[in-house]
Amino acid sequence: MVEELLTAGIAAAAGVAVYLGAAARVVKQYERGVVFRFGRLREGVRPPGLTMILPVADRLHKVNLQIVTLPIPAQEGITRDNVTVRVDAVVYFKVIDPASAIIAVEDYRFAVSQMAQTSLRSIIGKSDLDDLLSNREKLNQGLELMIDSPAMGWGVQIDRVEIKDVSLPETMKRSMARQAEADRERRARVINADAELQASHKLAQAAEVMSEQPAALQLRLLQTVIAVAAEKNSTLVLPFPVELLRFLERATPSGDPPHHPTPAPPPPAPPPDLTPQDPLPELDTPHPPALPPEP
C-alpha cells in the first residue's frame, strides 16, 4: 500500500513537472510576449519574467523591443537637376506595439526595409544635388516622416534616419573639383587685390611723408641696400642718387651766384698762304687830242 502511494506520488510529481516545463515560459527584459489561444489573440501583453501558458492551446510569440539598425541598400536615381547619384542610408526603429507588429504585418523588418528604399528613391528625385551634399538634415527629417507614416500602423516607430553616403560619377567629381578650385582661386585673387589696394594707400602715405623730407628717401634706399646685401647671393649696382644732388644744390648758399665756367676762345685762324704775283704790263693808252684855243 505504501509503495503504491509512493509510486502514485512520484508519478504525479513527474506529471506536474512535465506540465510546468511545457507551460512555463521566460520573457526577457527587452522582450514582450504575445499569446494566441487556439489562434485567437489573448488580451494583454506578457511582461518580462516567468509566465505560464496552456501547453496545447496557447502559443507565445516574443517581440523584441530593442532599437533595430536597418541599413538601406544603395539606391540609384536621378536628381531634380538631372544628375545620376547613388545614395545609401540607415534606419533606426523600434516596436512600440507588439500585438500590431505581429498581426498587422507579416514581417515588419522587411516592410520597413522596402518602405525605406521607396522613400529614399522618392527623396532623390525631389532633391537637387546641392541639397543631397550639404542639406542632409532636412532630407533626413523628410525621409523619416515618409517612412514613419505607414510604420505607425504596424506598431513600429521610426527613431531616426540618416543618409550615409552619396556616390557621384567620376566626371561629376572632377567638375566639382574644378569648380571648387576656381572658386578658391577667385577668392585668393580678391584677397590679393585687396591687399594691394591697402598697400598702395600705405605707400602713398609714405611717399607723401618722404616728399617733405628728401633725406628720408635716402635712408630708405640705404635700408633696402642692407636688406638685399644680407642675402649675399646677388650683385648690387647702386646708382648715384639724384636726391643727393638735390640735397647738395639746396645746401649751396643762395647769395653766391652760381659759377659757370667761361668757354675758352677759339684759336686764331692761320694766315692765308699768299704768293707774289707778277706785275701787270703797262698798256699803251692813246692820249686825247688837244682842243683849239677859244677866240
Side-chain angles (χ1 to χ4, degrees):
M1 185 66 180
V2 175
E3 293 180 358
E4 294 178 356
L5 292 176
L6 183 59
T7 303
I10 294 174
V16 170
V18 171
Y19 176 79
L20 292 176
R25 295 290 186 274
V26 176
V27 180
K28 297 180 181 179
Q29 182 66 36
Y30 54 86
E31 295 176 340
R32 296 295 183 271
V34 180
V35 178
F36 291 89
R37 179 166 294 176
F38 295 109
R40 186 183 296 274
L41 178 66
R42 293 294 303 271
E43 295 182 358
V45 178
R46 300 298 175 91
L50 182 64
T51 184
M52 304 298 295
I53 61 172
L54 294 178
V56 179
D58 294 344
R59 293 292 183 270
L60 178 65
H61 294 271
K62 300 177 182 180
V63 180
N64 193 337
L65 301 184
Q66 291 177 318
I67 294 178
V68 180
T69 302
L70 181 65
I72 304 176
Q75 302 296 314
E76 185 173 353
I78 301 177
T79 61
R80 191 166 56 182
D81 50 354
N82 299 326
V83 179
T84 302
V85 294
R86 289 176 60 90
V87 182
D88 56 348
V90 60
V91 181
Y92 302 91
F93 67 92
K94 62 181 179 180
V95 177
I96 57 175
D97 189 356
S100 298
I102 295 297
I103 297 174
V105 64
E106 180 181 3
D107 187 355
Y108 63 89
R109 290 174 179 263
F110 182 75
V112 172
S113 175
Q114 295 300 313
M115 179 58 63
Q117 296 179 30
T118 305
S119 301
L120 182 58
R121 290 194 177 189
S122 178
I123 285 292
I124 293 174
K126 294 179 181 179
S127 304
D128 294 332
L129 180 61
D130 294 336
D131 294 335
L132 289 174
L133 296 177
S134 60
N135 196 11
R136 292 189 180 182
E137 292 296 332
K138 183 178 179 180
L139 296 180
N140 292 338
Q141 295 177 1
L143 190 59
E144 180 179 349
L145 291 176
M146 293 178 65
I147 302 174
D148 191 53
S149 298
M152 290 297 295
W154 306 333
V156 177
Q157 180 182 3
I158 305 300
D159 187 71
R160 193 171 183 179
V161 180
E162 291 287 344
I163 295 177
K164 294 195 300 183
D165 188 24
V166 178
S167 300
L168 300 175
E170 293 298 328
T171 56
M172 181 58 64
K173 290 181 180 180
R174 289 194 293 268
S175 299
M176 295 178 65
R178 289 195 299 267
Q179 179 183 0
E181 183 178 356
D183 184 65
R184 290 183 179 275
E185 185 177 357
R186 177 185 62 84
R187 286 187 291 177
R189 289 185 178 181
V190 170
I191 294 173
N192 191 15
D194 190 14
E196 291 291 340
L197 179 60
Q198 295 179 6
S200 64
H201 289 306
K202 295 298 182 182
L203 289 175
Q205 295 177 4
E208 184 179 357
V209 174
M210 289 182 180
S211 63
E212 298 177 357
Q213 297 292 334
L217 186 60
Q218 181 67 19
L219 293 177
R220 180 57 184 162
L221 178 61
L222 295 177
Q223 292 178 357
T224 306
V225 171
I226 294 174
V228 174
E231 299 295 333
K232 297 181 180 179
N233 57 0
S234 60
T235 302
L236 180 63
V237 178
L238 183 63
F240 193 80
V242 180
E243 287 74 12
L244 184 57
L245 294 178
R246 294 178 181 176
F247 177 75
L248 295 176
E249 182 180 357
R250 293 181 182 180
T252 304
S254 60
D256 298 338
H259 176 71
H260 299 285
T262 58
D273 187 9
L274 299 178
T275 58
Q277 297 181 356
D278 297 335
L280 295 176
E282 295 181 2
L283 298 177
D284 295 337
T285 304
H287 296 279
L291 293 177
E294 292 179 0

